[in-house]
Amino acid sequence: MDLRICHLYPDLLNLYGDRGNLMALAHRAQWRGIDVHVEESRLGVSPAPGAHDLYFMGGGEDRQQVLAAADLRERKREALTDAVARGAVVLAVCGGYQLLGHYYRSAEGEELIGLGLLDVTTEHPGPQSKRLVGNIVVRSPWLGGRTLVGFENHGGRTRLGPNARPLGTVVTGFGNNGEDRTEGAVSRNVYGTYLHGPLLPKNPALTDHLLTLALRSRHGPIALASLDDRLELAAHSAALVRATSRT
Amino acid sequence: MPSTLRLAPAVILGKATAVASRALRLGGGTTMPGRVARAVAPDITRQLAARLPQGCVVVTGTNGKTTTSRLIHHILQLAGLRPVHNRAGANLAAGIVTALVQHTDWRGRARGDIGIFEVDEATLPAVWDPLQPRAVVLTNLFRDQLDRYGEIDIVAGRWRAVLDGRPPGETVVIFNADDPLVSDVGAKFAGTTVPFGIADASCGAGTLEHAADARYCYRCGVAYEYTVVYFGHMGDYRCPQCGTHRPQPLIAAEHVELAGLQGSGFALRTPAGTAQVRTVLPGVYNIHNVLAAAACCLQLGVPLQTVARGVETFAPAFGRAERVRADGREAVLLLTKNPAGFNEVLRTVMRATGPAAGVVLIAINDLTADGRDISWLWDVDFEMLAGHVRSLVVSGIRADDMALRLKHAGVSSTVMTIDGNLSRAWDAALQAARNGEPVYVLPTYTAMLQLRKILQQRGLVKGFWEE
Ligand SMILES: [Zn+2]
């Protein structure tokens, strides 16, 4: 069995240890004997539609985000729209998450049009507003109510439309907008979230959930073998403790 | 009360606070006196700084500012000056006032000739006006402590804004030509500038290590192309679109010979001639620190021979390649704080141990001074440790995160010991070291302070203010 991963903008959107997410996906598949191919898709390149089972996009600094937004619409839209239709997985973190929505309005009021793969919109309330920064814990119905742990750092406030469901409910932290206790968004097999840390190494349940969906989109029903997750679970619970401590 | 009248009580109160906080063991007393003095006389920084007969120098950047400013201090002392220096890493505004207060007598007279202030990269705009520095040294800009400072483009933008408004002739800007972000700020300055850099392609590590190091032209947003990369995003670069490129360094290191943890030797080329120098500071990153300090001191009028002698006789600060002896073994402490710095430290350790695998202790904290976000651990190339370390002890508040990162780097669990308690981790590392084999200790900032305290209690090192 094989898994084909497409890493979007590895040199542009890589702000918060994003390559850790790639490592977790690739290693947890390889540790189960699954062949993994990772293709990097940069500015100016269009991935062939149908060529990948899982697409990953990280977050970037403001100027990089502007470059990525234009390129996403012009060069990546076809492959990603096709991916959603055939049930391939798209995972986007932080800035990448914002670009999968309808639009991102910056602190200066500048509007970046997104791909609209997730029914969400993001607005930055202005340069004087507080960034939403800190350790975060979320409870996710997509993982049978298990917790997700990570770190968030964003100025934009994201609101969900009727066609998106949250990835989870905030236990501690801010989440999408610091108000409605929602975190992230899911629609079909498209996942967006503000959690980095990075997200996947410390949340093996989510990693395996995404791997299962991605493999199933091409190989049919599969069951992943279990792994020795002692270090993963130790890091997960340490992050849980850290998120609720005051120092 | 006019503000000059408030100065004397402010100094007295500040000094009294320093004495009290030491007596009460509130810590090294490195910022508290400054906070008290500033509360009494808000303008105190400006007034005390103006009393330094030779003015002051500011050193800023993400990495290397402590080593660079200590080097400047040491060289200026050799040149016969009495520098005032905010030591012990107290480089926020309150730390600067504390240093000034401590070097002012009860009547308000300065006890030093010149100020050397290391300043957090985000603090530079706030301290510029009160300090009116003669020279500013810009070391580098690495991704660091993102949750505290925001993105490095924003920091570079703030520096740009501070420099833009300055009339030429007041201040000399000394900057790292090998860092495109810093260069882009420095080279635009209307007044006198002194670019420094390495001029030896043999120190190069080849191409950019990984995507996270990519840097973009300020004007075009296009990634720079490199002919040489020294480490991180330091190197000889050019923008393929607008042609912006590394400025020719005025102060340069040529014919570099790296001697692992023993330091390095190189030819220091300056407009005043060339001198052969040796330093015990290890790694390519310390060559930048030496160049920055040399450029600054030459600018202040110190003769080249004194600069060279200063570089050679300089001993590193605690945690910056300091050696500690314990139970017949030697530990080398190497502070780590961001991916580029950590990679350079790892490479230096690997060069020192060679194929004979060594003992390494890594301690990761996530307190405010370390950066609360530890996602940067995933941008460090720990892969180079896999198969090359005999024993790896992992500690600190985020020991479990570190251990998981090492698992993904391919480090075998059989060589790993995880213990969040730093005191026990230290014992485990020393135990794992064979006689004569050094232990490499790689802590984040607060883990380093914590370790210092532990070693102090065991009588192995001195206290901060005893330095
Ligand atoms: Zn350019």
Side-chain angles (χ1 to χ4, degrees):
Chain A
M1 197 159 30
D2 68 320
L3 173 72
R4 305 166 313 175
I5 299 175
C6 181
H7 187 186
L8 296 163
Y9 311 112
D11 53 346
L12 211 54
L13 304 182
N14 56 30
L15 200 47
Y16 302 111
D18 281 323
R19 70 176 182 158
N21 289 323
L22 261 294
M23 286 181 202
L25 287 167
H27 292 160
R28 293 185 70 81
Q30 283 161 351
W31 291 337
R32 292 163 164 126
I34 297 165
D35 289 327
V36 178
H37 317 278
V38 179
E39 190 188 323
E40 299 188 334
S41 189
R42 294 162 196 266
L43 281 181
V45 179
S46 295
H52 303 97
D53 312 309
L54 195 155
Y55 297 77
F56 172 75
M57 179 158 60
E61 294 162 51
D62 280 356
R63 284 182 322 122
Q64 278 74 286
Q65 191 106 336
V66 174
L67 292 173
D71 187 81
L72 262 182
R73 295 193 306 268
E74 287 157 26
R75 307 276 182 177
K76 315 285 195 280
R77 185 193 292 277
E78 192 189 351
L80 288 173
T81 311
D82 167 78
V84 177
R86 66 189 154 83
V89 171
V90 181
L91 170 65
V93 174
C94 202
Y97 168 36
Q98 296 170 342
L99 294 180
L100 288 191
H102 300 298
Y103 67 83
Y104 169 73
R105 187 177 297 149
S106 76
E108 290 76 33
E110 197 184 337
E111 210 155 279
L112 281 184
I113 303 300
L115 282 185
L117 297 183
L118 286 171
D119 185 17
V120 304
T121 58
T122 305
E123 297 182 1
H124 195 298
Q128 300 311 319
S129 65
K130 160 175 116 138
R131 279 182 84 80
L132 307 181
V133 183
N135 289 298
I136 173 169
V137 178
V138 171
R139 199 170 288 288
S140 178
W142 306 90
L143 304 172
R146 261 179 286 207
T147 48
L148 290 172
V149 291
F151 196 94
E152 62 183 321
N153 183 350
H154 51 110
R157 270 63 165 176
T158 299
R159 308 248 166 220
L160 272 56
N163 295 320
R165 290 168 63 197
L167 173 62
T169 309
V170 174
V171 179
T172 40
F174 299 100
N176 282 327
N177 45 56
E179 287 167 15
D180 64 14
R181 312 301 294 164
T182 66
E183 196 324 285
V186 182
S187 170
R188 316 264 315 234
N189 285 346
V190 183
Y191 288 71
T193 176
Y194 277 117
L195 270 66
H196 63 262
L199 169 72
L200 297 182
K202 265 180 296 203
N203 295 297
L206 178 63
T207 315
D208 287 354
H209 173 72
L210 298 176
L211 285 174
T212 306
L213 293 176
L215 291 166
R216 193 188 289 162
S217 73
R218 196 157 49 89
H219 299 284
I222 59 129
L224 291 178
S226 60
L227 296 172
D228 175 358
D229 279 341
R230 276 174 297 180
L231 284 180
E232 282 79 358
L233 297 177
H236 184 102
S237 32
L240 278 178
V241 171
R242 202 71 194 109
T244 48
S245 79
R246 281 180 303 130
T247 48
Chain B
M1 184 157 55
S3 63
T4 41
L5 289 183
R6 268 198 229 138
L7 191 59
V11 169
I12 291 167
L13 255 170
K15 292 174 102 56
T17 307
V19 172
S21 65
R22 275 176 215 184
L24 297 170
R25 300 194 185 281
L26 295 177
T30 52
T31 62
M32 210 40 182
R35 277 189 240 159
V36 170
R38 277 210 303 176
V40 177
D43 200 31
I44 190 166
T45 313
R46 181 190 306 275
Q47 294 188 44
L48 292 183
R51 289 171 190 212
L52 292 166
Q54 305 249 16
C56 68
V57 169
V58 165
V59 181
T60 190
T62 40
N63 290 20
K65 53 185 175 290
T66 299
T67 299
T68 301
S69 52
R70 288 183 86 257
L71 251 167
I72 295 171
H73 182 118
H74 177 68
I75 295 169
L76 293 183
Q77 266 182 332
L78 282 184
L81 292 171
R82 292 173 308 163
V84 174
H85 179 191
N86 59 331
R87 294 184 107 166
N91 55 34
L92 297 168
I96 292 169
V97 188
T98 300
L100 282 167
V101 166
Q102 284 165 348
H103 287 83
T104 300
D105 69 20
W106 300 92
R107 295 204 183 101
R109 286 179 305 210
R111 273 201 299 246
D113 305 310
I114 184 164
I116 305 162
F117 300 114
E118 53 167 297
V119 166
D120 264 31
E121 56 275 25
T123 312
L124 180 66
V127 300
W128 190 299
D129 275 327
L131 291 180
Q132 295 291 322
R134 283 173 73 181
V136 171
V137 181
L138 308 176
T139 62
N140 49 53
L141 276 177
F142 287 106
R143 278 187 180 172
D144 188 36
Q145 304 173 331
L146 287 157
D147 56 318
R148 251 207 321 167
Y149 295 142
E151 300 146 3
I152 52 176
D153 275 346
I154 295 176
V155 176
R158 285 196 196 127
W159 286 7
R160 206 171 274 119
V162 173
L163 291 182
D164 267 356
R166 302 299 137 180
E170 272 179 10
T171 305
V172 175
V173 173
I174 296 156
F175 68 92
N176 188 342
D178 295 337
D179 184 334
L181 291 171
V182 168
S183 251
D184 203 84
V185 174
K188 294 287 155 341
F189 181 57
T192 311
T193 57
V194 181
F196 63 86
I198 297 169
D200 183 342
S202 73
C203 306
T207 51
L208 287 179
E209 284 144 26
H210 56 77
D213 288 325
R215 287 294 168 262
Y216 302 84
C217 173
Y218 177 68
R219 263 163 299 278
C220 319
V222 176
Y224 288 110
E225 284 172 0
Y226 285 80
T227 50
V228 190
V229 176
Y230 298 125
F231 63 97
H233 62 278
M234 305 290 124
D236 196 344
Y237 49 85
R238 167 179 288 275
C239 167
Q241 198 145 311
C242 71
T244 297
H245 58 89
R246 167 182 177 263
Q248 201 58 37
L250 265 182
I251 306 290
E254 295 175 340
H255 312 295
V256 175
E257 277 169 52
L258 292 169
L261 280 162
Q262 307 311 312
S264 68
F266 57 89
L268 174 64
R269 178 170 56 72
T270 79
T274 300
Q276 191 60 37
V277 295
R278 285 215 66 79
T279 172
V280 295
L281 300 170
V284 180
Y285 58 106
N286 272 314
I287 297 178
H288 276 146
N289 297 335
V290 169
L291 289 172
C296 178
C297 293
L298 289 167
Q299 190 62 40
L300 295 171
V302 178
L304 178 58
Q305 287 319 313
T306 310
V307 171
R309 197 154 48 86
V311 170
E312 273 169 41
T313 53
F314 177 76
F318 180 79
R320 277 83 172 179
E322 194 191 42
R323 286 145 200 273
V324 176
R325 292 207 65 82
D327 310 330
R329 296 173 181 86
E330 186 181 49
V332 186
L333 274 54
L334 297 148
L335 175 72
T336 61
K337 50 187 242 170
N338 48 27
F342 214 137
N343 281 340
E344 254 317 279
V345 162
L346 288 177
R347 246 195 304 275
T348 306
V349 169
M350 293 333 271
R351 255 187 239 124
T353 54
V359 178
V360 177
L361 164 60
I362 301 179
I364 306 295
N365 279 359
D366 66 349
L367 301 176
T368 307
D370 306 295
R372 287 158 59 219
D373 183 0
I374 47 153
S375 60
W376 62 273
L377 291 179
W378 295 82
D379 287 325
V380 180
D381 296 323
F382 291 108
E383 282 72 12
M384 67 180 109
L385 292 178
H388 291 284
V389 194
R390 194 163 54 75
S391 178
L392 225 168
V393 184
V394 185
S395 188
I397 299 169
R398 300 311 286 257
D400 295 304
D401 283 83
M402 188 61 234
L404 182 56
R405 172 68 189 95
L406 290 168
K407 175 180 177 179
H408 281 278
V411 174
S412 160
S413 62
T414 57
V415 303
M416 250 198 277
T417 307
I418 307 165
D419 194 331
N421 179 303
L422 196 50
S423 192
R424 284 199 305 260
W426 167 266
D427 290 335
L430 280 198
Q431 207 125 54
R434 297 189 185 104
N435 262 347
E437 182 186 34
V439 177
Y440 298 97
V441 185
L442 318 182
T444 59
Y445 186 69
T446 68
M448 181 192 82
L449 296 185
Q450 214 180 322
L451 183 62
R452 166 135 209 159
K453 213 168 178 184
I454 293 166
L455 299 185
Q456 218 175 303
Q457 280 161 358
R458 299 185 182 194
L460 297 173
V461 296
K462 295 180 296 176
F464 255 131
W465 53 83
E466 294 163 30
E467 275 181 355

